[in-house]
Amino acid sequence: MAELPRAGYVYSKTCEYTRTYVLVIIRTNVPISEERQMPLKYVGHAVTIIYVDRKGAITQRSIRVQAVRDGKVKAYDITRGAPRLFAEERILAVRPMAS
């Protein structure tokens, strides 16, 4: 399993799916466990996430959140057109999509 990013570091990479440049800053003033939690307010809504996969690749995904439970985010991955299960601890950032 790839090592997850630590607080206080800046990561940048070109997203392999959207070919856009992604810059992720991990804040140091928020405990890492709280920082990576998917807020329940996003259930039923479309959001964009920055995600670290099992191999350590940073990707940007557009998803519609269906449920958050036991450290897992059940969602429909708009980017890939399929249902997915995301590990909450690997979500680096969440941003609501425009309606």
Side-chain angles (χ1 to χ4, degrees):
M1 182 161 116
E3 181 179 332
L4 294 175
R6 297 175 305 198
Y9 285 78
V10 175
Y11 298 87
S12 61
K13 183 178 179 180
T14 301
C15 180
E16 62 186 271
Y17 300 106
T18 62
R19 300 288 184 224
T20 56
Y21 190 72
V22 176
L23 176 67
V24 178
I25 301 171
I26 308 300
R27 300 179 310 222
T28 58
N29 62 340
V30 177
I32 202 79
S33 60
E34 290 179 26
E35 184 175 290
R36 293 195 177 141
Q37 288 181 342
M38 172 69 73
L40 291 175
K41 69 181 180 180
Y42 293 130
V43 173
H45 298 280
V47 298
T48 299
I49 62 171
I50 304 297
Y51 187 75
V52 179
D53 69 15
R54 279 179 243 167
K55 296 178 183 176
I58 297 174
T59 64
Q60 178 178 323
R61 305 280 185 92
S62 296
I63 63 172
R64 181 165 304 281
V65 180
Q66 297 171 336
V68 179
R69 185 173 171 192
D70 299 326
K72 302 288 183 193
V73 177
K74 181 180 177 184
Y76 179 79
D77 188 338
I78 299 166
T79 306
R80 293 198 172 174
R84 297 278 187 219
L85 196 60
F86 296 95
E88 197 172 19
E89 67 185 14
R90 293 188 179 157
I91 296 173
L92 302 178
V94 181
R95 183 182 70 195
M97 291 177 64
S99 300

